[in-house]
PDB file of all heavy atoms in Angstrom:
ATOM      1  N   ARG A  86      26.555 -23.955 -22.144  1.00  0.00           N
ATOM      2  CA  ARG A  86      25.328 -24.439 -21.554  1.00  0.00           C
ATOM      3  C   ARG A  86      24.248 -23.350 -21.635  1.00  0.00           C
ATOM      4  O   ARG A  86      23.085 -23.633 -21.944  1.00  0.00           O
ATOM      5  CB  ARG A  86      25.570 -24.859 -20.107  1.00  0.00           C
ATOM      6  CG  ARG A  86      24.594 -25.931 -19.688  1.00  0.00           C
ATOM      7  CD  ARG A  86      24.829 -26.403 -18.284  1.00  0.00           C
ATOM      8  NE  ARG A  86      24.736 -25.353 -17.330  1.00  0.00           N
ATOM      9  CZ  ARG A  86      25.624 -25.167 -16.354  1.00  0.00           C
ATOM     10  NH1 ARG A  86      26.644 -25.981 -16.224  1.00  0.00           N
ATOM     11  NH2 ARG A  86      25.490 -24.193 -15.517  1.00  0.00           N
ATOM     12  N   ARG A 144       4.635 -17.826  -9.969  1.00  0.00           N
ATOM     13  CA  ARG A 144       5.209 -18.540  -8.825  1.00  0.00           C
ATOM     14  C   ARG A 144       4.159 -18.771  -7.754  1.00  0.00           C
ATOM     15  O   ARG A 144       4.180 -19.786  -7.068  1.00  0.00           O
ATOM     16  CB  ARG A 144       6.406 -17.758  -8.273  1.00  0.00           C
ATOM     17  CG  ARG A 144       7.675 -17.966  -9.099  1.00  0.00           C
ATOM     18  CD  ARG A 144       8.897 -18.118  -8.239  1.00  0.00           C
ATOM     19  NE  ARG A 144       8.919 -19.358  -7.499  1.00  0.00           N
ATOM     20  CZ  ARG A 144       9.541 -19.518  -6.348  1.00  0.00           C
ATOM     21  NH1 ARG A 144      10.182 -18.509  -5.794  1.00  0.00           N
ATOM     22  NH2 ARG A 144       9.538 -20.653  -5.725  1.00  0.00           N
ATOM     23  N   LEU A 238      14.477 -15.228 -15.220  1.00  0.00           N
ATOM     24  CA  LEU A 238      15.186 -15.011 -13.966  1.00  0.00           C
ATOM     25  C   LEU A 238      14.312 -15.442 -12.774  1.00  0.00           C
ATOM     26  O   LEU A 238      14.773 -16.159 -11.882  1.00  0.00           O
ATOM     27  CB  LEU A 238      15.555 -13.546 -13.844  1.00  0.00           C
ATOM     28  CG  LEU A 238      16.720 -13.208 -12.934  1.00  0.00           C
ATOM     29  CD1 LEU A 238      17.975 -13.871 -13.419  1.00  0.00           C
ATOM     30  CD2 LEU A 238      16.917 -11.690 -12.910  1.00  0.00           C
ATOM     31  N   PRO A 243      18.496 -20.016 -10.915  1.00  0.00           N
ATOM     32  CA  PRO A 243      19.847 -19.922 -11.435  1.00  0.00           C
ATOM     33  C   PRO A 243      20.198 -21.032 -12.401  1.00  0.00           C
ATOM     34  O   PRO A 243      21.115 -20.894 -13.194  1.00  0.00           O
ATOM     35  CB  PRO A 243      20.721 -19.975 -10.212  1.00  0.00           C
ATOM     36  CG  PRO A 243      19.855 -20.445  -9.090  1.00  0.00           C
ATOM     37  CD  PRO A 243      18.439 -20.176  -9.469  1.00  0.00           C
ATOM     38  N   THR A 257      25.851  -5.813 -14.684  1.00  0.00           N
ATOM     39  CA  THR A 257      25.455  -5.068 -13.493  1.00  0.00           C
ATOM     40  C   THR A 257      26.176  -5.577 -12.244  1.00  0.00           C
ATOM     41  O   THR A 257      26.379  -4.819 -11.316  1.00  0.00           O
ATOM     42  CB  THR A 257      23.945  -5.145 -13.223  1.00  0.00           C
ATOM     43  OG1 THR A 257      23.615  -6.511 -13.020  1.00  0.00           O
ATOM     44  CG2 THR A 257      23.141  -4.620 -14.390  1.00  0.00           C
ATOM     45  N   THR A 367       4.485   1.236   3.827  1.00  0.00           N
ATOM     46  CA  THR A 367       5.166   1.521   5.080  1.00  0.00           C
ATOM     47  C   THR A 367       6.585   1.968   4.745  1.00  0.00           C
ATOM     48  O   THR A 367       7.545   1.245   4.887  1.00  0.00           O
ATOM     49  CB  THR A 367       5.184   0.285   5.972  1.00  0.00           C
ATOM     50  OG1 THR A 367       5.730  -0.808   5.234  1.00  0.00           O
ATOM     51  CG2 THR A 367       3.800  -0.089   6.446  1.00  0.00           C
ATOM     52  N   GLY A 368       6.692   3.189   4.256  1.00  0.00           N
ATOM     53  CA  GLY A 368       7.986   3.759   3.960  1.00  0.00           C
ATOM     54  C   GLY A 368       8.633   3.223   2.711  1.00  0.00           C
ATOM     55  O   GLY A 368       9.816   3.519   2.454  1.00  0.00           O
ATOM     56  N   ASP A 387       3.929  10.101 -23.900  1.00  0.00           N
ATOM     57  CA  ASP A 387       5.135  10.579 -24.595  1.00  0.00           C
ATOM     58  C   ASP A 387       5.753   9.477 -25.443  1.00  0.00           C
ATOM     59  O   ASP A 387       6.117   9.691 -26.611  1.00  0.00           O
ATOM     60  CB  ASP A 387       6.162  11.069 -23.573  1.00  0.00           C
ATOM     61  CG  ASP A 387       5.693  12.310 -22.850  1.00  0.00           C
ATOM     62  OD1 ASP A 387       4.655  12.859 -23.276  1.00  0.00           O
ATOM     63  OD2 ASP A 387       6.346  12.739 -21.871  1.00  0.00           O
ATOM     64  N   PHE A 436      22.875   0.972 -19.825  1.00  0.00           N
ATOM     65  CA  PHE A 436      24.278   1.346 -19.592  1.00  0.00           C
ATOM     66  C   PHE A 436      24.782   2.191 -20.740  1.00  0.00           C
ATOM     67  O   PHE A 436      25.570   3.119 -20.551  1.00  0.00           O
ATOM     68  CB  PHE A 436      25.145   0.103 -19.416  1.00  0.00           C
ATOM     69  CG  PHE A 436      25.302  -0.345 -17.971  1.00  0.00           C
ATOM     70  CD1 PHE A 436      24.470  -1.293 -17.442  1.00  0.00           C
ATOM     71  CD2 PHE A 436      26.288   0.217 -17.171  1.00  0.00           C
ATOM     72  CE1 PHE A 436      24.606  -1.678 -16.127  1.00  0.00           C
ATOM     73  CE2 PHE A 436      26.423  -0.179 -15.844  1.00  0.00           C
ATOM     74  CZ  PHE A 436      25.587  -1.127 -15.310  1.00  0.00           C
ATOM     75  N   LEU A 439      23.874   5.726 -20.395  1.00  0.00           N
ATOM     76  CA  LEU A 439      24.629   6.409 -19.328  1.00  0.00           C
ATOM     77  C   LEU A 439      25.989   6.882 -19.808  1.00  0.00           C
ATOM     78  O   LEU A 439      26.473   7.912 -19.384  1.00  0.00           O
ATOM     79  CB  LEU A 439      24.840   5.464 -18.135  1.00  0.00           C
ATOM     80  CG  LEU A 439      23.622   5.259 -17.281  1.00  0.00           C
ATOM     81  CD1 LEU A 439      23.939   4.288 -16.170  1.00  0.00           C
ATOM     82  CD2 LEU A 439      23.191   6.604 -16.659  1.00  0.00           C
ATOM     83  N   ASP A 443      25.716  11.661 -22.093  1.00  0.00           N
ATOM     84  CA  ASP A 443      26.138  12.200 -20.804  1.00  0.00           C
ATOM     85  C   ASP A 443      26.802  13.549 -20.871  1.00  0.00           C
ATOM     86  O   ASP A 443      27.330  14.021 -19.886  1.00  0.00           O
ATOM     87  CB  ASP A 443      27.099  11.202 -20.136  1.00  0.00           C
ATOM     88  CG  ASP A 443      28.382  11.036 -20.914  1.00  0.00           C
ATOM     89  OD1 ASP A 443      28.389  11.333 -22.122  1.00  0.00           O
ATOM     90  OD2 ASP A 443      29.386  10.643 -20.311  1.00  0.00           O
ATOM     91  N   ARG A 450      21.051  12.421 -18.714  1.00  0.00           N
ATOM     92  CA  ARG A 450      21.056  11.314 -17.757  1.00  0.00           C
ATOM     93  C   ARG A 450      20.084  11.460 -16.605  1.00  0.00           C
ATOM     94  O   ARG A 450      19.533  10.475 -16.138  1.00  0.00           O
ATOM     95  CB  ARG A 450      22.469  11.097 -17.239  1.00  0.00           C
ATOM     96  CG  ARG A 450      23.304  10.434 -18.307  1.00  0.00           C
ATOM     97  CD  ARG A 450      24.605  10.016 -17.755  1.00  0.00           C
ATOM     98  NE  ARG A 450      25.256  11.116 -17.095  1.00  0.00           N
ATOM     99  CZ  ARG A 450      26.511  11.083 -16.709  1.00  0.00           C
ATOM    100  NH1 ARG A 450      27.234  10.013 -16.927  1.00  0.00           N
ATOM    101  NH2 ARG A 450      27.061  12.104 -16.135  1.00  0.00           N
ATOM    102  N   PHE A 530      15.940   1.058 -14.869  1.00  0.00           N
ATOM    103  CA  PHE A 530      17.301   1.549 -14.972  1.00  0.00           C
ATOM    104  C   PHE A 530      17.349   3.072 -15.059  1.00  0.00           C
ATOM    105  O   PHE A 530      18.254   3.707 -14.511  1.00  0.00           O
ATOM    106  CB  PHE A 530      17.880   0.967 -16.261  1.00  0.00           C
ATOM    107  CG  PHE A 530      19.328   0.684 -16.214  1.00  0.00           C
ATOM    108  CD1 PHE A 530      19.760  -0.524 -15.725  1.00  0.00           C
ATOM    109  CD2 PHE A 530      20.256   1.606 -16.640  1.00  0.00           C
ATOM    110  CE1 PHE A 530      21.101  -0.817 -15.674  1.00  0.00           C
ATOM    111  CE2 PHE A 530      21.582   1.335 -16.599  1.00  0.00           C
ATOM    112  CZ  PHE A 530      22.024   0.128 -16.116  1.00  0.00           C
ATOM    113  N   ARG A 533      13.615   8.083 -12.602  1.00  0.00           N
ATOM    114  CA  ARG A 533      14.061   8.788 -11.403  1.00  0.00           C
ATOM    115  C   ARG A 533      13.193   8.386 -10.227  1.00  0.00           C
ATOM    116  O   ARG A 533      11.998   8.143 -10.372  1.00  0.00           O
ATOM    117  CB  ARG A 533      14.003  10.283 -11.653  1.00  0.00           C
ATOM    118  CG  ARG A 533      15.060  10.745 -12.598  1.00  0.00           C
ATOM    119  CD  ARG A 533      15.581  12.099 -12.239  1.00  0.00           C
ATOM    120  NE  ARG A 533      14.592  12.916 -11.589  1.00  0.00           N
ATOM    121  CZ  ARG A 533      14.189  14.096 -12.089  1.00  0.00           C
ATOM    122  NH1 ARG A 533      14.653  14.520 -13.229  1.00  0.00           N
ATOM    123  NH2 ARG A 533      13.333  14.826 -11.439  1.00  0.00           N
ATOM    124  N   ARG A 536       9.962   9.930  -9.800  1.00  0.00           N
ATOM    125  CA  ARG A 536       8.970   9.712 -10.843  1.00  0.00           C
ATOM    126  C   ARG A 536       8.914   8.251 -11.264  1.00  0.00           C
ATOM    127  O   ARG A 536       9.118   7.922 -12.398  1.00  0.00           O
ATOM    128  CB  ARG A 536       9.353  10.544 -12.090  1.00  0.00           C
ATOM    129  CG  ARG A 536       9.222  12.002 -11.917  1.00  0.00           C
ATOM    130  CD  ARG A 536       7.767  12.367 -11.674  1.00  0.00           C
ATOM    131  NE  ARG A 536       7.641  13.782 -11.488  1.00  0.00           N
ATOM    132  CZ  ARG A 536       7.576  14.646 -12.503  1.00  0.00           C
ATOM    133  NH1 ARG A 536       7.610  14.208 -13.718  1.00  0.00           N
ATOM    134  NH2 ARG A 536       7.462  15.919 -12.275  1.00  0.00           N
ATOM    135  N   ARG A 545       9.295  -2.443  -6.383  1.00  0.00           N
ATOM    136  CA  ARG A 545       9.848  -1.928  -5.098  1.00  0.00           C
ATOM    137  C   ARG A 545       9.029  -2.451  -3.921  1.00  0.00           C
ATOM    138  O   ARG A 545       9.584  -2.841  -2.896  1.00  0.00           O
ATOM    139  CB  ARG A 545       9.856  -0.417  -5.089  1.00  0.00           C
ATOM    140  CG  ARG A 545      10.910   0.179  -5.995  1.00  0.00           C
ATOM    141  CD  ARG A 545      11.138   1.632  -5.673  1.00  0.00           C
ATOM    142  NE  ARG A 545      11.769   1.783  -4.353  1.00  0.00           N
ATOM    143  CZ  ARG A 545      12.224   2.932  -3.898  1.00  0.00           C
ATOM    144  NH1 ARG A 545      12.135   4.002  -4.637  1.00  0.00           N
ATOM    145  NH2 ARG A 545      12.776   3.014  -2.722  1.00  0.00           N
ATOM    146  N   LEU A 547       7.344  -5.152  -3.766  1.00  0.00           N
ATOM    147  CA  LEU A 547       7.617  -6.586  -3.607  1.00  0.00           C
ATOM    148  C   LEU A 547       8.932  -6.815  -2.886  1.00  0.00           C
ATOM    149  O   LEU A 547       9.151  -7.853  -2.284  1.00  0.00           O
ATOM    150  CB  LEU A 547       7.679  -7.270  -4.967  1.00  0.00           C
ATOM    151  CG  LEU A 547       6.391  -7.787  -5.542  1.00  0.00           C
ATOM    152  CD1 LEU A 547       6.648  -8.425  -6.878  1.00  0.00           C
ATOM    153  CD2 LEU A 547       5.758  -8.784  -4.595  1.00  0.00           C
ATOM    154  N   ARG A 549      10.015  -5.271  -0.327  1.00  0.00           N
ATOM    155  CA  ARG A 549       9.970  -4.828   1.062  1.00  0.00           C
ATOM    156  C   ARG A 549       9.269  -5.819   1.938  1.00  0.00           C
ATOM    157  O   ARG A 549       8.264  -6.413   1.498  1.00  0.00           O
ATOM    158  CB  ARG A 549       9.246  -3.463   1.178  1.00  0.00           C
ATOM    159  CG  ARG A 549       9.895  -2.360   0.408  1.00  0.00           C
ATOM    160  CD  ARG A 549      11.325  -2.244   0.835  1.00  0.00           C
ATOM    161  NE  ARG A 549      12.052  -1.265   0.055  1.00  0.00           N
ATOM    162  CZ  ARG A 549      12.389  -0.062   0.511  1.00  0.00           C
ATOM    163  NH1 ARG A 549      12.053   0.311   1.714  1.00  0.00           N
ATOM    164  NH2 ARG A 549      13.071   0.747  -0.247  1.00  0.00           N
ATOM    165  N   GLU A 583      -7.881  -4.417 -42.003  1.00  0.00           N
ATOM    166  CA  GLU A 583      -6.621  -4.172 -42.713  1.00  0.00           C
ATOM    167  C   GLU A 583      -5.422  -4.331 -41.789  1.00  0.00           C
ATOM    168  O   GLU A 583      -4.330  -4.655 -42.237  1.00  0.00           O
ATOM    169  CB  GLU A 583      -6.583  -2.752 -43.295  1.00  0.00           C
ATOM    170  CG  GLU A 583      -7.432  -2.598 -44.564  1.00  0.00           C
ATOM    171  CD  GLU A 583      -8.895  -2.356 -44.221  1.00  0.00           C
ATOM    172  OE1 GLU A 583      -9.200  -2.275 -43.014  1.00  0.00           O
ATOM    173  OE2 GLU A 583      -9.704  -2.274 -45.138  1.00  0.00           O
TER     174      GLU A 583
ATOM    175  N   ARG B  15     -16.472   1.165 -48.674  1.00  0.00           N
ATOM    176  CA  ARG B  15     -16.374   0.870 -47.253  1.00  0.00           C
ATOM    177  C   ARG B  15     -15.929   2.100 -46.478  1.00  0.00           C
ATOM    178  O   ARG B  15     -16.322   2.326 -45.358  1.00  0.00           O
ATOM    179  CB  ARG B  15     -15.420  -0.277 -46.999  1.00  0.00           C
ATOM    180  CG  ARG B  15     -16.089  -1.605 -47.066  1.00  0.00           C
ATOM    181  CD  ARG B  15     -15.289  -2.605 -46.279  1.00  0.00           C
ATOM    182  NE  ARG B  15     -13.884  -2.399 -46.505  1.00  0.00           N
ATOM    183  CZ  ARG B  15     -13.083  -3.299 -47.034  1.00  0.00           C
ATOM    184  NH1 ARG B  15     -13.570  -4.448 -47.430  1.00  0.00           N
ATOM    185  NH2 ARG B  15     -11.808  -3.071 -47.196  1.00  0.00           N
ATOM    186  N   SER B  40       1.833  16.539 -21.298  1.00  0.00           N
ATOM    187  CA  SER B  40       2.769  15.814 -20.482  1.00  0.00           C
ATOM    188  C   SER B  40       4.186  16.352 -20.671  1.00  0.00           C
ATOM    189  O   SER B  40       4.934  16.471 -19.730  1.00  0.00           O
ATOM    190  CB  SER B  40       2.704  14.366 -20.838  1.00  0.00           C
ATOM    191  OG  SER B  40       3.919  13.898 -21.269  1.00  0.00           O
ATOM    192  N   GLY B  44       4.350  18.253 -17.311  1.00  0.00           N
ATOM    193  CA  GLY B  44       4.657  17.144 -16.410  1.00  0.00           C
ATOM    194  C   GLY B  44       5.628  17.511 -15.314  1.00  0.00           C
ATOM    195  O   GLY B  44       5.492  17.129 -14.170  1.00  0.00           O
ATOM    196  N   ASP B  50      11.864  20.375 -12.421  1.00  0.00           N
ATOM    197  CA  ASP B  50      13.099  19.665 -12.649  1.00  0.00           C
ATOM    198  C   ASP B  50      13.277  19.288 -14.112  1.00  0.00           C
ATOM    199  O   ASP B  50      13.856  18.278 -14.431  1.00  0.00           O
ATOM    200  CB  ASP B  50      13.171  18.416 -11.773  1.00  0.00           C
ATOM    201  CG  ASP B  50      11.898  17.604 -11.891  1.00  0.00           C
ATOM    202  OD1 ASP B  50      11.061  17.977 -12.753  1.00  0.00           O
ATOM    203  OD2 ASP B  50      11.749  16.640 -11.151  1.00  0.00           O
ATOM    204  N   ASP B  73      18.301   1.624  -5.674  1.00  0.00           N
ATOM    205  CA  ASP B  73      16.855   1.787  -5.891  1.00  0.00           C
ATOM    206  C   ASP B  73      16.038   1.546  -4.645  1.00  0.00           C
ATOM    207  O   ASP B  73      14.815   1.606  -4.678  1.00  0.00           O
ATOM    208  CB  ASP B  73      16.361   0.948  -7.092  1.00  0.00           C
ATOM    209  CG  ASP B  73      16.812  -0.496  -6.975  1.00  0.00           C
ATOM    210  OD1 ASP B  73      17.209  -0.913  -5.876  1.00  0.00           O
ATOM    211  OD2 ASP B  73      16.780  -1.195  -8.002  1.00  0.00           O
ATOM    212  N   SER B  74      16.668   1.278  -3.497  1.00  0.00           N
ATOM    213  CA  SER B  74      15.905   1.130  -2.265  1.00  0.00           C
ATOM    214  C   SER B  74      15.970   2.404  -1.404  1.00  0.00           C
ATOM    215  O   SER B  74      15.507   2.388  -0.281  1.00  0.00           O
ATOM    216  CB  SER B  74      16.420  -0.052  -1.426  1.00  0.00           C
ATOM    217  OG  SER B  74      16.566  -1.185  -2.198  1.00  0.00           O
ATOM    218  N   PHE B  75      16.587   3.430  -1.950  1.00  0.00           N
ATOM    219  CA  PHE B  75      16.715   4.656  -1.170  1.00  0.00           C
ATOM    220  C   PHE B  75      15.369   5.233  -0.841  1.00  0.00           C
ATOM    221  O   PHE B  75      14.466   5.283  -1.660  1.00  0.00           O
ATOM    222  CB  PHE B  75      17.530   5.711  -1.945  1.00  0.00           C
ATOM    223  CG  PHE B  75      17.616   7.025  -1.232  1.00  0.00           C
ATOM    224  CD1 PHE B  75      18.525   7.197  -0.219  1.00  0.00           C
ATOM    225  CD2 PHE B  75      16.800   8.087  -1.595  1.00  0.00           C
ATOM    226  CE1 PHE B  75      18.614   8.413   0.455  1.00  0.00           C
ATOM    227  CE2 PHE B  75      16.873   9.292  -0.922  1.00  0.00           C
ATOM    228  CZ  PHE B  75      17.796   9.455   0.086  1.00  0.00           C
ATOM    229  N   ASN B 106      28.927  -0.032 -10.339  1.00  0.00           N
ATOM    230  CA  ASN B 106      29.422  -0.230 -11.675  1.00  0.00           C
ATOM    231  C   ASN B 106      29.134   0.966 -12.574  1.00  0.00           C
ATOM    232  O   ASN B 106      29.926   1.330 -13.450  1.00  0.00           O
ATOM    233  CB  ASN B 106      28.832  -1.493 -12.291  1.00  0.00           C
ATOM    234  CG  ASN B 106      29.402  -2.726 -11.603  1.00  0.00           C
ATOM    235  OD1 ASN B 106      30.463  -2.661 -11.015  1.00  0.00           O
ATOM    236  ND2 ASN B 106      28.689  -3.841 -11.664  1.00  0.00           N
ATOM    237  N   GLN B 107      28.010   1.610 -12.356  1.00  0.00           N
ATOM    238  CA  GLN B 107      27.704   2.792 -13.147  1.00  0.00           C
ATOM    239  C   GLN B 107      28.632   3.941 -12.782  1.00  0.00           C
ATOM    240  O   GLN B 107      29.056   4.714 -13.651  1.00  0.00           O
ATOM    241  CB  GLN B 107      26.260   3.212 -12.947  1.00  0.00           C
ATOM    242  CG  GLN B 107      25.343   2.160 -13.487  1.00  0.00           C
ATOM    243  CD  GLN B 107      23.943   2.679 -13.665  1.00  0.00           C
ATOM    244  OE1 GLN B 107      23.709   3.857 -13.513  1.00  0.00           O
ATOM    245  NE2 GLN B 107      23.033   1.789 -13.982  1.00  0.00           N
ATOM    246  N   LEU B 110      31.822   3.265 -14.602  1.00  0.00           N
ATOM    247  CA  LEU B 110      31.689   3.492 -16.035  1.00  0.00           C
ATOM    248  C   LEU B 110      31.639   4.948 -16.385  1.00  0.00           C
ATOM    249  O   LEU B 110      32.077   5.371 -17.468  1.00  0.00           O
ATOM    250  CB  LEU B 110      30.402   2.827 -16.551  1.00  0.00           C
ATOM    251  CG  LEU B 110      30.457   1.393 -17.020  1.00  0.00           C
ATOM    252  CD1 LEU B 110      29.088   0.949 -17.515  1.00  0.00           C
ATOM    253  CD2 LEU B 110      31.461   1.255 -18.155  1.00  0.00           C
ATOM    254  N   SER B 114      32.569  11.521 -16.542  1.00  0.00           N
ATOM    255  CA  SER B 114      31.465  12.434 -16.592  1.00  0.00           C
ATOM    256  C   SER B 114      30.467  12.036 -15.513  1.00  0.00           C
ATOM    257  O   SER B 114      29.487  11.385 -15.766  1.00  0.00           O
ATOM    258  CB  SER B 114      30.811  12.360 -17.986  1.00  0.00           C
ATOM    259  OG  SER B 114      29.671  13.172 -18.051  1.00  0.00           O
ATOM    260  N   PRO B 115      30.798  12.404 -14.244  1.00  0.00           N
ATOM    261  CA  PRO B 115      30.087  11.837 -13.094  1.00  0.00           C
ATOM    262  C   PRO B 115      28.571  11.933 -13.177  1.00  0.00           C
ATOM    263  O   PRO B 115      28.039  12.939 -13.655  1.00  0.00           O
ATOM    264  CB  PRO B 115      30.623  12.622 -11.926  1.00  0.00           C
ATOM    265  CG  PRO B 115      31.898  13.203 -12.368  1.00  0.00           C
ATOM    266  CD  PRO B 115      31.760  13.420 -13.862  1.00  0.00           C
ATOM    267  N   GLU B 243      15.637 -16.708  -6.893  1.00  0.00           N
ATOM    268  CA  GLU B 243      16.403 -15.701  -7.631  1.00  0.00           C
ATOM    269  C   GLU B 243      16.524 -14.387  -6.873  1.00  0.00           C
ATOM    270  O   GLU B 243      17.541 -13.726  -6.928  1.00  0.00           O
ATOM    271  CB  GLU B 243      15.754 -15.487  -8.993  1.00  0.00           C
ATOM    272  CG  GLU B 243      16.670 -15.161 -10.105  1.00  0.00           C
ATOM    273  CD  GLU B 243      17.927 -16.029 -10.114  1.00  0.00           C
ATOM    274  OE1 GLU B 243      17.891 -17.247  -9.888  1.00  0.00           O
ATOM    275  OE2 GLU B 243      18.991 -15.417 -10.369  1.00  0.00           O
ATOM    276  N   SER B 246      12.315 -11.227  -2.685  1.00  0.00           N
ATOM    277  CA  SER B 246      10.860 -11.233  -2.596  1.00  0.00           C
ATOM    278  C   SER B 246      10.291 -12.609  -2.951  1.00  0.00           C
ATOM    279  O   SER B 246       9.343 -13.081  -2.343  1.00  0.00           O
ATOM    280  CB  SER B 246      10.241 -10.169  -3.502  1.00  0.00           C
ATOM    281  OG  SER B 246      10.783 -10.233  -4.777  1.00  0.00           O
ATOM    282  N   TYR B 250       8.332 -14.375  -0.015  1.00  0.00           N
ATOM    283  CA  TYR B 250       6.868 -14.390  -0.150  1.00  0.00           C
ATOM    284  C   TYR B 250       6.340 -15.699  -0.740  1.00  0.00           C
ATOM    285  O   TYR B 250       5.188 -16.025  -0.566  1.00  0.00           O
ATOM    286  CB  TYR B 250       6.401 -13.203  -0.988  1.00  0.00           C
ATOM    287  CG  TYR B 250       6.490 -11.903  -0.273  1.00  0.00           C
ATOM    288  CD1 TYR B 250       7.131 -10.810  -0.830  1.00  0.00           C
ATOM    289  CD2 TYR B 250       5.924 -11.745   0.995  1.00  0.00           C
ATOM    290  CE1 TYR B 250       7.209  -9.604  -0.157  1.00  0.00           C
ATOM    291  CE2 TYR B 250       6.005 -10.551   1.662  1.00  0.00           C
ATOM    292  CZ  TYR B 250       6.642  -9.478   1.102  1.00  0.00           C
ATOM    293  OH  TYR B 250       6.708  -8.289   1.746  1.00  0.00           O
ATOM    294  N   ASP B 252       8.375 -18.946  -1.079  1.00  0.00           N
ATOM    295  CA  ASP B 252       8.933 -20.213  -0.541  1.00  0.00           C
ATOM    296  C   ASP B 252       8.860 -20.287   0.972  1.00  0.00           C
ATOM    297  O   ASP B 252       8.759 -21.377   1.540  1.00  0.00           O
ATOM    298  CB  ASP B 252      10.381 -20.349  -0.979  1.00  0.00           C
ATOM    299  CG  ASP B 252      10.514 -20.488  -2.487  1.00  0.00           C
ATOM    300  OD1 ASP B 252       9.840 -21.365  -3.046  1.00  0.00           O
ATOM    301  OD2 ASP B 252      11.276 -19.729  -3.108  1.00  0.00           O
ATOM    302  N   GLN B 330      12.048   3.704   6.902  1.00  0.00           N
ATOM    303  CA  GLN B 330      12.089   3.935   5.464  1.00  0.00           C
ATOM    304  C   GLN B 330      12.897   2.873   4.710  1.00  0.00           C
ATOM    305  O   GLN B 330      12.546   2.499   3.616  1.00  0.00           O
ATOM    306  CB  GLN B 330      12.691   5.322   5.171  1.00  0.00           C
ATOM    307  CG  GLN B 330      11.869   6.464   5.706  1.00  0.00           C
ATOM    308  CD  GLN B 330      10.639   6.705   4.870  1.00  0.00           C
ATOM    309  OE1 GLN B 330      10.666   6.612   3.673  1.00  0.00           O
ATOM    310  NE2 GLN B 330       9.522   6.996   5.519  1.00  0.00           N
ATOM    311  N   TYR B 332      14.539   0.010   6.346  1.00  0.00           N
ATOM    312  CA  TYR B 332      14.689  -1.281   7.055  1.00  0.00           C
ATOM    313  C   TYR B 332      16.151  -1.571   7.446  1.00  0.00           C
ATOM    314  O   TYR B 332      16.563  -2.706   7.506  1.00  0.00           O
ATOM    315  CB  TYR B 332      14.109  -2.424   6.233  1.00  0.00           C
ATOM    316  CG  TYR B 332      12.657  -2.216   5.927  1.00  0.00           C
ATOM    317  CD1 TYR B 332      12.253  -1.610   4.744  1.00  0.00           C
ATOM    318  CD2 TYR B 332      11.694  -2.585   6.853  1.00  0.00           C
ATOM    319  CE1 TYR B 332      10.903  -1.381   4.496  1.00  0.00           C
ATOM    320  CE2 TYR B 332      10.358  -2.366   6.606  1.00  0.00           C
ATOM    321  CZ  TYR B 332       9.966  -1.770   5.430  1.00  0.00           C
ATOM    322  OH  TYR B 332       8.648  -1.540   5.190  1.00  0.00           O
ATOM    323  N   GLY B 380      25.318 -26.179 -10.398  1.00  0.00           N
ATOM    324  CA  GLY B 380      25.838 -27.220 -11.258  1.00  0.00           C
ATOM    325  C   GLY B 380      26.035 -26.742 -12.688  1.00  0.00           C
ATOM    326  O   GLY B 380      25.626 -25.693 -13.077  1.00  0.00           O
TER     327      GLY B 380
END
Side-chain angles (χ1 to χ4, degrees):
Chain A
R86 207 178 58 225
R144 281 221 69 208
L238 203 60
T257 62
T367 54
D387 292 351
F436 267 95
L439 284 179
D443 64 338
R450 286 189 308 191
F530 213 86
R533 287 215 331 240
R536 292 297 179 82
R545 287 196 68 172
L547 271 181
R549 299 304 175 106
E583 284 83 2
Chain B
R15 273 204 320 242
S40 121
D50 50 7
D73 51 17
S74 311
F75 175 81
N106 290 338
Q107 294 196 8
L110 271 181
S114 175
E243 213 43 42
S246 49
Y250 287 128
D252 295 306
Q330 296 285 321
Y332 301 94

